[in-house]
């Protein structure tokens, strides 16, 4: 490929102090988030160490081209590197005053800790002496060199990190010291030699012939080679396993690539006037308008995130001697960044000998509670509009707020306390490794992942676990950041836990308790509490900020949000959650439990009297059901779907019955009992279908057993009449499931209407109940104009419509092969979760055709996709009147509908 587009972009100042920044925050897709924001910060005059960014497209071209740089790129990188040396007045590898750079990844969407970073690049056996000369600090210089070799070997060359940790421990033992900080310059110099030896022994000469010196692999001394390998490693890390998994989890496309940022190093480990830290301009856990974060004096950036040393809160920085000025400047920078980006920002900074440097900023990740508070506060502060506030909260994330909490009315004893890193509570068995967490979840066991500290390799386990507990690290540690992003409860830094991951146990300091794998614990990420045993959990209620923001979303939304609710409790909950109406009451759930025997007697008998009795019993209980629901939803539509599933679902399982008969026969049981069970088995067998989901179900049941829809209609109409007489305002609608043809719809409609009229007359109440069809088959969608003559409303059952359009059995494919299809990109999304574009087209065309016949016909969606924000965006565009979702999905659907309407207004 020829060099037609700019691939490398400078940021920061030149030697004369002129700003030579070539990018800006709008170039996220080209420079990645880190690069674009470094450029933006440099552009607005914040102190950013100079450097350059290699574009994301280069990464994609590199990997598509079998890990080869596109033509001309190496020369361009070399040009920018020389320019950077010129701007700084130092050279990589220089023996008198060396330039050191960091090489960091930075994708268009933040993927914290998933890809590679190398620090202190440019050090070698000569430039180490230049660094000593310049800093007059041999300990610092040797420490920097050993860190570089360690990181380069591990990250770039894939050498096992434990080998280096073991060497450090061996050296500490030999010196009789406990902490790394107690090792002096001589120790560190010896460690550098040890590390180079480890490098030689563990890097393959065949794979890296360019590193062979005198027949042996040697740590690369040439900065060109160091830089080339580091850039390749960062590009390569786009496709490492954990990055791929993270993208899948977070719906980030695989074809974005990562940029590489090469930037002058600044050092937070140059003594007590140096420091490094990570911070947020507001509290990312609860949204409070306060500076939030941690710093470490005399440390390098990775030390804070790794949770190796205990950090201090950022608010103290401006009071620390030698760091006051930088601390105050940092708080000013917080203000500048917030008003510039008009959002809560996440920041990485370093103070080198009293001078503040900004290393990164991005819009900060936050919990759902914080997102709500920040959006509402910023609107009140006049920083953003109401529309922006609504757009600021991730609809899917809202779910977090509906997560369980410890039941405060129950007593429990606190086993340990840590930091409240990510809200929500969880109960599960203790596991000590990511693999064990994955295994537990595969076996259907709920677990809590307990780690000293997590690292990116733990991602799969973190996803599998109900909650995460660590004994080390602050609220900005890996565990905390990732858990918050996933909405998983997390307690971190619970220092009382003395974890021995190998033995799979953790002693709890101050107690005689030792946790073993499989022990059940509970944790509350909202308070930081850990409890031995299972604490009862409760779901929180919808109040405060959530209510305010959903109210704002309601002001914008044009889609209705209804509930799928089958009983008065769910109906009430749905109303509390702000549902406009009930879009789907599945009546089959009303036939379970102790009522199963009534429907069984209807199905199995040939005796008209028994049938009659079953129907009248069902009528009685159904009428009570509807009275309860219509009362809870007084004044709102309630769409009641007539019986839908194949009847044998109400019968006993023939296999268990057969086993029972054989057992009875074996032990010489009562012949009459055996005979009657055999008769039953024969009856059940005769009803079994090969493809029940395509068999005798839906409206076909009503055609074959007209007594059933008649009984249900009578119950609906009677409940309605009764409540009307009580002065209430019930609004039921009767829905016919799985219609395929005009003929069946017409027949059923007439039968239903006749019963409604009968009840109206008997009760002497006017009843005008809409009767509509449920569109769940492609045939129905394709003749929706004809069906519209017999339907007062439509509701699209997109679960069945997806099943029948794809020919995918909805009960099987999600576990059997959809994951494989997703992995292999044969499907963009699970169509049972996010509406498929072709199914959406069927819905769109069906609505348009029906509205030619009946312009005001309403069209709902009552499949699971109705609660999915991506699908809601589609439904908003294709003429859908409302989505109908389960009660806990209502807040998400309200917000997502508001956002879809705002986007539509903006022409998106
Ligand atoms: C549907 O098919 O989308 C639907 C809502 O009905 P059910 O899930 O009950 O089949
Ligand atoms: Mg259905």
């Amino acid at each position: 490929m020829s060099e037609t587009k700019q691939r490398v972009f400078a940021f920061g100042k030149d030697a004369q102090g002129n700003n030579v920044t070539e990018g800006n925050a709008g170039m996220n897709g080209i420079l990645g988030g880190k690069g674009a924001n470094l450029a933006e910060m440099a552009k607005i005059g914040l102190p950013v160490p100079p450097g350059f960014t290699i574009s994301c497209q280069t990464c994609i071209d590199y990997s598509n081209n079998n890990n080869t740089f596109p033509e001309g790129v190496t020369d361009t990188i070399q040009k920018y590197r020389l320019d950077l040396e010129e701007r700084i007045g130092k050279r990589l590898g220089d023996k008198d005053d060396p330039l050191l750079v960091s090489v960091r990844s930075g994708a268009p969407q933040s993927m914290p800790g998933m890809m590679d970073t190398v620090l202190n690049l440019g050090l070698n056996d000569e430039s180490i002496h230049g660094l000593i000369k310049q800093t007059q600090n041999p300990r610092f210089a040797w420490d920097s060199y050993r860190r570089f070799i360690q990181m380069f070997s591990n990250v770039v060359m894939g050498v096992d990190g434990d080998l280096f940790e073991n060497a450090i421990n061996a050296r500490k033992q030999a010196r009789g010291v406990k902490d790394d900080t107690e090792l002096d310059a001589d120790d560190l110099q010896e460690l550098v030699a040890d590390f180079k030896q480890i490098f030689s022994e563990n890097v393959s000469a065949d794979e890296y012939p360019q590193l062979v010196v005198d027949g042996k692999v040697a740590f690369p001394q040439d900065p060109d080679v160091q830089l080339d390998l580091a850039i390749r490693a960062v590009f390569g890390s786009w496709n490492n396993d954990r990055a791929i998994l993270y993208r899948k989890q977070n719906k980030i496309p695989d074809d974005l690539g990562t940029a590489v940022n090469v930037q002058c190093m600044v050092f937070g480990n140059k003594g007590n006037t140096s420091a490094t830290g990570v911070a947020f301009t507001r509290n990312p856990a609860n949204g409070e308008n306060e500076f939030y974060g941690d710093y470490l004096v005399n440390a390098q950036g990775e030390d804070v995130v790794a949770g190796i040393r205990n950090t201090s809160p950022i608010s103290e920085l401006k009071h620390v001697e030698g760091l006051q000025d930088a601390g105050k400047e940092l708080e000013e920078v917080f203000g500048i960044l917030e008003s510039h980006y008009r959002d809560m920002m996440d920041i990485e900074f370093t103070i080198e000998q009293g001078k503040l440097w900004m290393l990164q900023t991005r819009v900060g990740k936050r919990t759902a509670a914080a997102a709500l508070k920040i959006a509402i506060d910023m609107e009140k502060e006049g920083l953003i509009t109401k529309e922006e506030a609504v757009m600021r909260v991730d609809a899917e994330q809202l779910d977090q707020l509906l997560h369980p909490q410890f039941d405060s009315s129950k007593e429990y004893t606190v086993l340990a306390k840590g930091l409240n890193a990510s809200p929500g509570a969880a109960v599960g068995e203790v596991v000590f490794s990511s693999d064990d967490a994955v295994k537990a979840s595969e076996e259907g066991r709920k677990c809590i992942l307990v780690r000293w500290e997590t690292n990116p390799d733990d991602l799969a386990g973190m996803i599998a676990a109900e909650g995460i507990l660590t004994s080390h690290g602050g609220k900005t540690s890996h565990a905390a950041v990732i858990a918050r992003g996933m909405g998983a409860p997390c307690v971190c830094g619970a220092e009382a836990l003395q974890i021995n991951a190998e033995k799979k146990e953790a002693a709890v300091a101050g107690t005689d308790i030792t946790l073993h794998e499989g022990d059940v614990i509970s944790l509350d990420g909202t308070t930081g509490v850990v409890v031995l045993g299972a604490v009862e959990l409760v779901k929180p209620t919808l109040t405060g900020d959530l209510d305010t923001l959903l109210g704002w979303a309601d002001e914008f939304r044009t889609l209705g949000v209804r509930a799928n609710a089958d009983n008065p409790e769910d109906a009430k909950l749905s109303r509390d959650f702000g549902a406009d109406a009930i879009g789907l009451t599945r009546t089959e759930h009303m036939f379970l439990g102790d009522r199963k025997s009534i429907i069984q007697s209807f199905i199995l008998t040939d005796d008209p009297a028994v049938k009659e009795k079953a129907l009248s019993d069902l009528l009685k209980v159904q009428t009570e059901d509807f009275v309860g629901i219509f009362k809870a939803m007084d004044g709102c539509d309630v769409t009641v779907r007539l019986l839908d599933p194949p009847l044998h679902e109400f019968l006993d399982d023939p296999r268990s019955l057969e086993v029972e008969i054989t057992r009875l026969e074996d032990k010489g049981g009562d012949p009459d009992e055996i005979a009657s069970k055999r008769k039953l088995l024969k009856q059940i067998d005769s009803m079994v279908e090969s493809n029940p989901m395509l068999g005798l179900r839906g409206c076909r049941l009503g055609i074959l057993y007209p007594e059933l829809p008649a009984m249900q209609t009578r119950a609906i109409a009677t409940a309605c009449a009764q409540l009307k007489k009580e002065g209430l305002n019930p609004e039921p609608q009767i829905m016919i499931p799985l219609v395929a043809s005009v003929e069946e719809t017409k027949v059923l409609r007439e039968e239903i209407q006749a019963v409604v009229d009968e009840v109206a007359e008997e009760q002497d109440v006017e009843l005008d109940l809409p009767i509509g069809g449920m569109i769940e088959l492609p045939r129905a969608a394709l003749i929706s104009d004809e069906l519209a003559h017999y339907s007062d409303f439509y509701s699209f059952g997109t679960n069945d419509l997806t099943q029948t359009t794809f020919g995918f059995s909805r009960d099987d494919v999600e576990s059997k092969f959809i994951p494989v299809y997703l992995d292999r990109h044969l499907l963009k999304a699970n169509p049972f979760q996010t509406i498929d574009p072709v199914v959406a087209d069927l819905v769109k065309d069906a609505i348009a055709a029906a509205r030619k016949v009946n312009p005001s016909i309403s069209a709902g969606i009552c499949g699971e996709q109705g609660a999915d924000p991506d699908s809601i965006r589609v439904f908003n565009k294709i003429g859908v009147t409302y989505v109908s979702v389960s009660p806990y999905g209502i807040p998400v659907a309200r917000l997502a509908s508001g956002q879809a309407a705002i986007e539509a207004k903006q022409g998106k």
Side-chain angles (χ1 to χ4, degrees):
M1 187 188 169
S2 66
E3 185 75 343
T4 51
K5 47 187 163 264
Q6 185 169 353
R7 292 196 179 265
V8 188
F9 300 77
F11 58 83
K13 294 185 175 163
D14 68 7
Q16 288 71 44
N18 302 314
N19 203 334
V20 294
T21 304
E22 295 179 295
N24 59 53
M27 293 166 69
N28 194 60
I30 300 168
L31 301 177
K34 190 190 293 267
N37 288 323
L38 280 170
E40 188 73 15
M41 284 199 293
K43 224 181 71 182
I44 63 174
L46 297 182
V48 173
F52 58 87
T53 305
I54 309 166
S55 72
C56 300
Q57 186 59 44
T58 309
C59 170
I60 293 300
D61 294 341
Y62 174 84
S63 49
N64 287 348
N65 206 6
N66 208 7
N67 294 350
T68 313
F69 285 118
E71 204 185 308
V73 166
T74 321
D75 291 345
T76 312
I77 294 173
Q78 183 68 1
K79 188 178 122 207
Y80 273 81
R81 175 211 147 166
L82 292 173
D83 171 63
L84 182 62
E85 291 180 335
E86 184 74 35
R87 288 200 268 150
I88 297 295
K90 297 183 186 192
R91 293 176 49 74
L92 289 169
D94 190 273
K95 68 180 181 357
D96 291 318
D97 185 10
L99 165 67
L100 305 187
V101 292
S102 61
V103 179
R104 295 173 192 263
S105 59
Q109 292 186 38
S110 151
M111 296 170 56
M114 295 301 137
M115 288 173 297
D116 289 347
T117 288
V118 180
L119 304 178
N120 301 344
L121 189 140
L123 275 173
N124 59 23
D125 293 350
E126 285 194 340
S127 62
I128 173 74
H129 298 293
L131 189 63
I132 295 172
K133 198 162 112 193
Q134 290 301 323
T135 58
Q136 294 297 308
N137 188 342
R139 189 191 182 282
F140 160 76
W142 284 110
D143 191 40
S144 302
Y145 196 15
R146 75 94 194 155
R147 283 172 189 261
F148 172 48
I149 301 173
Q150 186 173 354
M151 219 174 201
F152 189 92
S153 307
N154 178 239
V155 164
V156 178
M157 314 303 292
V159 180
D160 181 359
D162 284 350
L163 296 173
F164 299 94
E165 290 300 337
N166 293 346
I168 295 174
N169 285 336
R171 182 93 10 215
K172 282 197 287 195
Q173 255 177 4
R175 288 273 284 106
V177 297
K178 235 177 101 217
D179 281 335
D180 294 12
T181 47
E182 293 172 274
L183 294 174
D184 64 17
D186 290 343
D187 297 322
L188 293 164
Q189 185 172 359
E190 284 177 43
L191 264 183
V192 163
D194 295 347
F195 282 12
K196 285 201 277 186
Q197 184 66 26
I198 295 173
F199 186 93
S200 297
E201 286 167 6
N202 290 280
V203 173
S204 145
D206 292 344
E207 225 178 302
Y208 294 98
Q210 72 271 43
L211 301 184
V212 176
V213 179
D214 297 335
K216 248 180 67 189
V217 167
F219 187 78
Q221 295 293 310
D222 181 349
D224 275 336
V225 174
Q226 294 176 353
L227 188 59
D228 177 72
L229 287 172
I231 293 171
R232 288 172 186 275
V234 174
F235 278 165
S237 66
W238 175 253
N239 284 321
N240 70 31
D241 290 349
R242 61 177 192 249
I244 292 170
L245 177 62
Y246 186 89
R247 289 200 291 275
K248 203 163 132 196
Q249 273 298 113
N250 292 278
K251 298 191 189 161
I252 299 174
D254 285 325
D255 59 359
L256 299 178
T258 178
V260 176
N261 297 289
V262 179
Q263 188 177 25
C264 288
M265 285 292 301
V266 285
F267 294 93
N269 55 343
K270 273 191 178 170
N272 287 340
T273 57
S274 299
T276 188
V278 291
F280 294 85
T281 57
R282 301 191 187 207
N283 185 321
N286 63 19
E288 284 298 329
N289 192 353
E290 65 191 8
F291 302 135
Y292 181 98
D294 316 282
Y295 73 93
L296 274 174
V297 175
N298 197 12
Q300 266 197 334
E302 304 306 302
D303 299 343
V304 181
V305 183
I308 292 162
R309 276 166 52 193
N310 282 333
T311 52
S312 310
I314 203 85
S315 53
E316 288 174 7
L317 187 62
K318 60 175 185 281
H319 305 298
V320 178
E321 214 184 306
L323 297 170
Q324 292 105 324
D325 289 348
K328 281 182 202 139
E329 189 186 348
L330 182 65
E331 294 197 356
E332 277 163 34
V333 169
F334 283 167
I336 294 170
L337 284 175
E338 267 213 357
S339 49
H340 185 72
Y341 282 90
R342 301 162 64 242
D343 207 338
M344 186 271 266
M345 303 303 288
D346 166 351
I347 286 160
E348 280 181 26
F349 68 91
T350 282
I351 300 168
E352 183 180 89
Q353 294 177 321
K355 161 100 181 98
L356 174 70
W357 291 103
M358 302 304 297
L359 300 186
Q360 174 166 312
T361 193
R362 60 186 170 202
V363 170
K365 285 203 189 290
R366 59 204 80 178
T367 62
L372 287 169
K373 175 152 175 56
I374 291 169
I376 292 167
D377 284 354
M378 286 192 168
E379 195 271 346
K380 296 215 167 108
E381 289 159 24
L383 207 54
I384 58 175
T385 62
K386 234 184 214 184
E387 277 104 325
E388 283 173 311
V390 170
M391 295 306 293
R392 284 286 167 88
V393 181
D394 176 0
E396 272 175 78
Q397 209 194 6
L398 267 198
D399 200 33
Q400 274 182 26
L401 286 184
L402 308 166
H403 275 328
Q405 309 286 337
F406 278 8
D407 182 348
S408 57
S409 67
K410 296 279 177 328
E411 298 241 321
Y412 49 78
T413 314
V414 174
L415 176 68
K417 258 205 100 155
L419 298 169
N420 50 339
S422 179
V427 179
E429 294 174 23
V430 170
V431 292
F432 291 95
S433 73
S434 174
D435 286 350
D436 286 339
V438 170
K439 188 163 156 248
S441 131
E442 280 169 2
E443 289 169 1
R445 289 181 288 122
K446 293 190 167 165
C447 68
I448 307 279
L449 179 61
V450 180
R451 302 283 285 154
W452 192 76
E453 164 54 338
T454 61
N455 65 49
D457 287 335
D458 289 321
L459 186 65
M462 294 173 80
I463 294 167
E466 300 293 303
I468 297 137
L469 170 61
T470 69
S471 59
H472 276 74
K475 287 192 202 167
T476 43
S477 64
H478 180 268
V481 172
I482 299 294
R484 275 201 297 275
M486 296 190 323
C490 173
V491 173
C492 65
E495 293 187 1
L497 296 183
Q498 297 159 350
I499 299 170
N500 185 334
E502 223 158 75
K503 282 197 174 159
K504 300 191 176 184
E505 61 182 31
V508 186
T511 72
D512 54 2
I513 295 171
T514 297
L515 293 174
H516 297 98
E517 188 180 48
D519 289 351
V520 172
I521 60 168
S522 308
L523 61 83
D524 187 344
T526 318
T527 58
V529 161
V530 183
V531 175
L532 184 61
V535 175
E536 226 167 278
L537 304 184
V538 288
K539 292 248 181 189
T541 46
L542 189 78
T543 51
D545 290 339
L546 182 51
D547 231 4
T548 307
L549 199 95
L550 291 181
W552 292 355
D554 288 345
E555 287 174 28
F556 299 108
R557 76 177 157 93
T558 47
L559 262 187
V561 175
R562 298 189 171 197
N564 292 351
D566 308 339
N567 54 57
E569 293 74 42
D570 278 358
K572 177 153 185 332
L573 188 63
S574 307
R575 239 188 155 161
D576 292 346
F577 279 162
D580 308 328
I582 289 186
L584 175 64
T585 291
R586 291 176 164 103
T587 50
E588 58 270 23
H589 297 167
M590 299 167 175
F591 289 18
L592 299 176
D594 37 351
R595 300 171 182 185
K596 203 166 151 186
S597 60
I598 318 180
I599 182 89
Q600 283 182 346
S601 68
F602 170 82
I603 299 167
L604 295 171
T605 189
D606 295 327
D607 179 342
V610 176
K611 254 195 167 42
E612 191 63 29
K613 165 89 172 71
L615 281 173
S616 88
D617 287 349
L618 284 173
L619 175 65
K620 185 164 170 291
V621 288
Q622 280 266 266
T623 310
E624 285 162 13
D625 293 331
F626 294 132
V627 165
I629 294 174
F630 300 163
K631 234 186 197 164
M633 294 303 289
D634 190 42
C636 301
D637 287 346
V638 176
T639 308
V640 182
R641 176 178 77 185
L642 300 178
L643 201 61
D644 178 45
L647 286 186
H648 68 78
E649 283 192 13
F650 297 108
L651 301 179
D652 294 333
D653 170 31
R655 253 191 262 169
S656 324
L657 189 57
E658 209 164 345
V659 171
E660 210 184 306
I661 294 169
T662 314
R663 281 217 185 103
L664 272 176
E665 285 173 340
D666 276 357
K667 51 172 212 208
D670 173 10
D672 288 346
E673 190 186 351
I674 294 173
S676 98
K677 284 198 190 293
R678 279 230 164 271
K679 183 171 167 228
L680 179 63
L681 179 61
K682 213 166 151 200
Q683 262 179 309
I684 295 176
D685 275 343
S686 73
M687 297 187 74
V688 169
E689 297 173 285
S690 303
N691 291 307
M693 291 304 271
L694 300 177
L696 181 55
R697 59 167 290 217
C699 66
R700 302 158 200 171
L701 280 175
I703 302 281
L704 264 84
Y705 300 93
E707 315 90 302
L708 285 175
M711 176 277 292
Q712 288 197 293
T713 303
R714 177 164 280 278
I716 295 165
T718 308
C720 181
Q722 188 179 316
L723 291 175
K724 279 194 165 192
K725 284 186 193 162
E726 289 173 23
L728 296 181
N729 187 20
E731 300 278 2
Q733 309 190 325
I734 300 175
M735 181 151 80
I736 311 172
L738 211 80
V739 293
S741 72
V742 172
E743 291 73 13
E744 62 191 2
T745 312
K746 187 167 176 279
V747 165
L748 284 166
R749 185 187 171 97
E750 282 166 7
E751 288 177 8
I752 291 164
Q753 189 61 56
V755 176
V756 173
D757 292 343
E758 244 171 63
V759 174
E761 203 176 313
E762 283 162 23
Q763 303 277 340
D764 196 20
V765 172
E766 205 174 304
L767 292 178
D768 183 14
L769 307 189
I771 301 167
M774 197 166 173
I775 310 295
E776 302 179 274
L777 300 170
R779 188 181 197 283
L782 293 170
I783 57 161
S784 82
D785 49 349
E786 294 173 53
L787 290 175
H789 293 288
Y790 305 95
S791 261
D792 302 321
F793 63 88
Y794 276 158
S795 182
F796 289 83
T798 44
N799 300 333
D800 272 312
L801 191 56
T802 301
Q803 164 166 268
T804 50
T805 302
F806 274 92
F808 279 175
S809 161
R810 62 192 255 201
D811 297 325
D812 301 309
V813 297
E814 285 187 273
S815 60
K816 292 270 188 316
F817 64 78
I818 283 192
V820 177
Y821 268 50
L822 292 172
D823 275 348
R824 294 187 52 190
H825 303 283
L826 303 179
L827 277 173
K828 278 213 174 78
N830 175 353
F832 290 103
Q833 194 180 322
T834 300
I835 195 76
D836 169 71
V838 175
V839 179
D841 275 348
L842 271 178
V843 174
K844 178 178 161 204
D845 294 346
I847 295 174
R851 292 211 171 124
K852 288 207 175 113
V853 175
N854 175 357
S856 62
I857 193 167
S858 74
I861 299 286
C862 58
E864 294 307 305
Q865 300 90 340
D868 169 63
D870 289 340
S871 309
I872 286 177
R873 225 168 280 134
V874 174
F875 295 141
N876 193 62
K877 287 188 186 152
I878 61 173
V880 167
T881 317
Y882 63 82
V883 290
S884 189
V885 305
S886 68
Y888 282 99
I890 288 165
V892 174
R894 282 169 69 193
L895 179 57
S897 301
Q899 292 175 337
I902 292 168
E903 279 180 9
K905 216 165 85 180
Q906 293 166 347
K908 284 190 194 151

